[in-house]
Amino acid sequence: MSVPQPPEPIPGARLLFSLDPAVSHLNHGSFGAVPIGVQRAQQRLRDEMEANPLRFFTQGLVDRIAHTRRHLAGFLGAEPDGSALVGNTTTGVAVVLQSLGLQAGDEVLSTDHGYGAVSLAIQRECRRTGAVSRVLPIPLAASDEQIVQTIRAGLRPGRTRLLVVDQLTSATAKLFPAAAIVGVAREHGVPVLVDAAHAPGMLGTTVSSIGAEFWVGNLHKWAYAPRGTALLAVAPQWRDRIDPLVVSWEQDSGFPARIEWQATLDYTSWLAAPAGLFTLRSLGVDRVRAHNAALAAYGQRVVGDALGVPPGHLPDPGGPGVALRLIPLPAGTATSVDAARALQARIGERLAAEVAVMSWNGRGWLRLGGQVYNTADEYERLAVRLPALLAQR
């Protein structure tokens, strides 16, 4: 099986970012990278805020936030008045969990592909309320049909108060059939929270087409927004029940204002987020998605070949637009979270390459992303140097 060819670089895309050119930034999925133009847009907003803080916070800011939300929700295919801006996906998850009114005997169902901080949030809310957290194991190679059937069998109508699933998993870079899962859960009367941290900007799926009761995704990863920008979409029957983590002066305004207004929060990241969408659209949304997915697939293959991983053992995320790819590390490598973090730091320090190292189900995995500022030779250099570093355990 031949190695896939890397995509042609998008001219000038690398110059849009202020990333250190001495480092290969192959882990866009963790914290994103803010284009220079978006950084400047946010700085202008910060300058405005600092020039007259009282005016900035008290004259029209709520309306500006609502206008921004409408713009971002429109891009994602979400109902603007049924959505709220939040700091990140885990914040949105926490808002939903504490609004459910869980009680002893209830359960929150999730999968073993869930994001670590989300799992911790579920556990904390269950401890606080007496509810139970139950995790369904799903094999990495499971098909969409197998995933749906596993979840169908795991639901306990009358007891399962919430199902939490990923749209694209962080730990395993696997695309879940979110809309089909929502359909099965609805048959059993179970609301669904979709963790879509990686979806905005990367995936073309609209929020409305998934139909979940709750959906939350970050725009500061693949949609070029400043960090701290995410959208929480809530179905109509739940909006009056959604409460913020901290009460503010907008509490009586209802959803979404009561969620968005957090007094002296720095709102400039939200207000500058449309500049990120402008950058994405200027490059061409479909062009960027195709480029990033093809580059991630190329990187997975060349690094996998260097580590002696047969092509058939490289996980397929299940979607042509997925710009994250997973490579199994040698047995005994990064088998714990601490070991994974240590290896990730070593790769960064010794190879000048920023990657994500995951420990999932007792196995170490290397996660690579593709972004418009990356080039094929960055993955090739990593492929040449990584085997020797791993041999130094």
Side-chain angles (χ1 to χ4, degrees):
M1 186 181 298
S2 60
V3 176
Q5 292 300 305
E8 289 294 324
I10 297 178
R14 178 65 181 82
L15 299 177
L16 296 175
F17 297 85
S18 55
L19 294 165
D20 183 352
V23 177
S24 296
H25 301 272
L26 308 178
N27 183 22
H28 184 89
S30 285
F31 298 102
V34 184
I36 295 171
V38 182
Q39 294 178 40
R40 290 174 176 168
Q42 184 179 17
Q43 187 57 53
R44 287 193 293 272
L45 288 161
R46 283 178 169 154
D47 291 342
E48 177 191 349
M49 176 173 62
E50 297 306 333
N52 192 329
L54 186 66
R55 178 182 298 169
F56 182 86
F57 281 98
T58 63
Q59 297 186 22
L61 181 55
V62 172
D63 290 337
R64 293 173 76 176
I65 292 170
H67 177 75
T68 298
R69 180 199 339 116
R70 287 192 288 270
H71 187 100
L72 301 181
F75 173 77
L76 296 172
E79 185 181 342
D81 292 336
S83 305
L85 292 171
V86 292
N88 53 37
T89 294
T90 48
T91 298
V93 169
V95 167
V96 172
L97 286 171
Q98 63 91 38
S99 298
L100 288 174
L102 294 173
Q103 300 177 2
D106 294 337
E107 74 169 21
V108 177
L109 184 64
S110 58
T111 80
D112 61 350
H113 293 254
Y115 185 61
V118 170
S119 299
L120 291 172
I122 293 171
Q123 293 166 18
R124 187 186 72 169
E125 190 64 16
C126 287
R127 284 195 305 269
R128 190 179 70 84
T129 61
V132 174
S133 170
R134 189 160 57 91
V135 179
L136 290 176
I138 294 180
L140 186 58
S143 66
D144 285 357
E145 182 178 355
Q146 290 170 329
I147 293 172
V148 171
Q149 291 304 321
T150 298
I151 290 175
R152 184 194 301 272
L155 294 170
R156 296 175 179 173
R159 183 173 180 183
T160 305
R161 291 287 309 283
L162 182 70
L163 169 63
V164 182
V165 294
D166 295 74
Q167 187 169 347
L168 176 64
T169 67
S170 177
T172 56
K174 186 173 180 63
L175 191 67
F176 270 38
I181 292 170
V182 169
V184 166
R186 182 164 293 130
E187 294 173 5
H188 294 78
V190 176
V192 179
L193 167 58
V194 175
D195 177 344
H198 289 276
M202 185 202 296
L203 304 178
T205 309
T206 61
V207 175
S208 60
S209 68
I210 294 174
E213 285 74 13
F214 313 102
W215 180 102
V216 59
N218 293 321
L219 286 103
H220 55 247
K221 291 182 182 288
W222 304 91
Y224 302 149
R227 291 174 198 88
T229 306
L231 190 83
L232 169 65
V234 178
Q237 67 272 25
W238 285 93
R239 291 170 194 165
D240 289 343
R241 300 171 58 179
I242 297 297
D243 264 330
L245 300 177
V246 178
V247 173
S248 75
W249 284 105
E250 292 294 323
Q251 179 67 16
D252 292 337
S253 298
F255 185 90
R258 66 163 55 147
I259 301 297
E260 292 174 333
W261 186 254
Q262 294 295 306
T264 51
L265 186 74
D266 184 351
Y267 299 98
T268 61
S269 60
W270 297 355
L271 299 180
L277 294 186
F278 177 81
T279 303
L280 180 59
R281 287 172 169 139
S282 297
L283 293 171
V285 178
D286 292 338
R287 183 187 190 189
V288 168
R289 287 171 177 160
H291 171 277
N292 293 349
L295 195 55
Y298 176 77
Q300 180 194 43
R301 186 62 185 279
V302 296
V303 176
D305 283 350
L307 297 181
V309 181
H313 292 167
L314 292 172
D316 183 346
V322 175
L324 291 175
R325 292 287 179 136
L326 215 60
I327 303 159
L329 292 170
T333 303
T335 57
S336 69
V337 172
D338 287 344
R341 289 173 177 168
L343 177 57
Q344 179 174 309
R346 284 175 57 210
I347 293 173
E349 293 168 2
R350 300 187 186 184
L351 305 187
E354 298 296 350
V355 300
V357 179
M358 306 295 191
S359 179
W360 184 75
N361 282 2
R363 179 75 190 262
W365 304 83
L366 181 72
R367 194 191 74 188
L368 297 176
Q371 189 48 263
V372 295
Y373 51 72
N374 293 131
T375 55
D377 65 291
E378 293 179 302
Y379 304 91
E380 294 161 3
R381 287 198 301 270
L382 178 65
V384 169
R385 303 177 65 190
L386 183 60
L389 183 143
L390 295 177
Q392 298 171 5
R393 288 184 295 163

